[in-house]
Amino acid sequence: MDLDVAQVRAFVCTAEELHFGRAAATLGISQQALSKRIARLESLLRTPLFLRDGRGVSLTGAGQRFLRPARRTLEAADAAVASVTREERPLRVDVWGHLYAPTRTLAQVAGRAGTWVLGHGRDLPSVTDALLDGGVDVAFGRVHPPLRAGLTHRLVRLEPVDAVLGADHPLASEPSLRPDQLSSGVLWAPGPLDRLDFLHRFADRFGVRARTASVNLGLAHFLAGIAEDPRRFALLPADVPLPEVPGLRSVPLVDPTPLYAWSLLWRTGDGHPGLDRLTAACAAEARRSRWLEYDPARDWLPEPPPGSTAQVYPGSTPGGTRADAPAP
């Protein structure tokens, strides 16, 4: 059975739009031509791919199963054409963990890593789906287990975490704090802790029992909530610029210093040449800015590598090409 790439492209576009008119407009063909391509594909596969009724268009079970490999078929076809014509589409990069401003790190390597198209995923599960479905090529954020099969990641940066306190907090005047000094406070989180792996593990490790969830409406709104209760504190990577919220203090955490781990994540075996450029640019910046320093005697990671003693996180020695690294 030989698939027609034009028919597969018509299917994928319609599956993404769930509207024949919009899909036809996206492809630059008539709706009649689109319908014929999909009908021929359904005839070849001997099964309907779409349900069409008065309420709209939806995928059948067969259509849902066909979508992911169909996307990969288009990627392979596009890559084959690009290898001959030397045309290269931009690398599609997604991020998550927006309250912690992941694009701060990417901005430092952007000029050395080719052309990108930047997306804005909601969280690790949604970005993982986009990667496996072929919607994006690489993503950036905090990776934590369990990680789904078919994905590879590489540690890029370990960033110290500060405590953010209101001016009325009993510890606001301290020049630095140990994490366990926050145990009697209230951890102010930008959502339910069962979806915020780093904060959940921090609270468990350092005995913070009181935890309150906010609604994530942006960093300024989130931090304004700290002033409402002098017992509250938040955790932010040290390099995140604080908004203009009166009465906030950012206090370094020491003995140990919590580290927030940023990683690149991509589909195993992805061949986009921009991915090699991006990982190489991140590795070079990590060497220059000492992003990967880790000392188990003074630092804390939710899941430190077993038996690690080196100053640089094991598996993360920067190089010019991609390499696997242990999950932070």
Side-chain angles (χ1 to χ4, degrees):
M1 182 184 297
D2 293 325
L3 291 175
D4 185 307
V5 173
Q7 294 172 8
V8 175
R9 199 177 300 278
F11 163 75
V12 170
C13 188
T14 306
E16 291 173 345
E17 295 286 354
L18 291 179
H19 190 282
F20 277 76
R22 289 196 298 268
T26 298
L27 293 171
I29 60 177
S30 69
Q31 189 168 332
Q32 182 181 17
L34 176 74
S35 297
K36 285 182 178 180
R37 291 181 187 182
I38 290 175
R40 289 170 186 154
L41 181 61
E42 290 177 324
S43 176
L44 177 68
L45 297 174
R46 299 180 181 177
T47 185
L49 300 172
F50 293 100
L51 293 173
R52 308 161 178 86
D53 54 35
R55 293 173 295 177
V57 179
S58 60
L59 287 168
T60 64
Q64 293 172 358
R65 294 191 298 274
F66 187 60
L67 180 56
R68 182 177 295 173
R71 282 174 168 152
R72 292 178 178 169
T73 297
L74 292 184
E75 288 182 355
D78 291 342
V81 172
S83 69
V84 175
T85 63
R86 298 187 181 276
E87 294 177 1
E88 182 183 313
R89 63 167 174 77
L91 184 71
R92 298 166 300 178
V93 182
D94 212 339
V95 296
W96 74 97
H98 298 284
L99 201 70
Y100 289 177
T103 53
R104 292 175 299 117
T105 297
L106 292 179
Q108 297 186 52
V109 301
R112 291 166 275 155
T115 305
W116 303 350
V117 174
L118 188 63
H120 297 282
R122 293 180 294 106
D123 50 25
L124 177 57
S126 66
V127 171
T128 295
D129 289 341
L131 284 168
L132 292 174
D133 288 342
V136 295
D137 301 306
V138 61
F140 180 80
R142 180 175 184 269
V143 173
H144 55 83
L147 193 60
R148 290 166 61 182
L151 297 174
T152 300
H153 80 279
R154 179 173 181 172
L155 186 67
V156 170
R157 184 178 188 183
L158 295 172
E159 187 173 9
V161 170
D162 289 348
V164 180
L165 314 170
D168 295 331
H169 192 284
L171 300 174
S173 61
E174 297 293 327
S176 63
L177 293 169
R178 299 189 316 275
D180 58 13
Q181 288 180 267
L182 298 168
S183 61
S184 60
V186 178
L187 176 59
W188 184 236
L193 249 66
D194 60 358
R195 300 186 61 187
L196 301 170
D197 179 79
F198 180 85
L199 296 182
H200 176 75
R201 291 173 182 270
F202 177 93
D204 285 350
R205 168 64 179 81
F206 297 106
V208 182
R209 293 182 173 81
R211 312 163 187 186
T212 303
S214 171
V215 177
N216 186 357
L217 298 176
L219 187 57
H221 178 272
F222 170 68
L223 293 179
I226 292 178
E228 297 176 6
D229 185 335
R231 299 174 302 158
R232 289 178 181 170
F233 70 93
L235 299 177
L236 286 178
D239 199 30
V240 172
L242 296 184
E244 295 290 335
V245 177
L248 288 183
R249 279 214 63 219
S250 183
V251 182
L253 294 177
V254 297
D255 299 327
T257 295
L259 299 177
Y260 194 86
W262 298 99
S263 294
L264 288 173
L265 179 67
W266 64 87
R267 289 187 306 281
T268 304
D270 189 287
H272 194 292
L275 182 53
D276 280 329
R277 290 195 294 268
L278 177 58
T279 54
C282 287
E285 188 61 40
R287 285 193 299 269
R288 184 166 29 252
S289 300
R290 303 172 69 180
W291 277 351
L292 293 172
E293 286 193 351
Y294 169 69
D295 183 348
R298 71 171 189 235
D299 300 323
W300 175 79
L301 283 165
E303 292 154 343
S308 61
T309 58
Q311 291 286 90
V312 176
Y313 198 96
S316 64
T317 301
T321 58
R322 286 169 267 165
D324 295 349

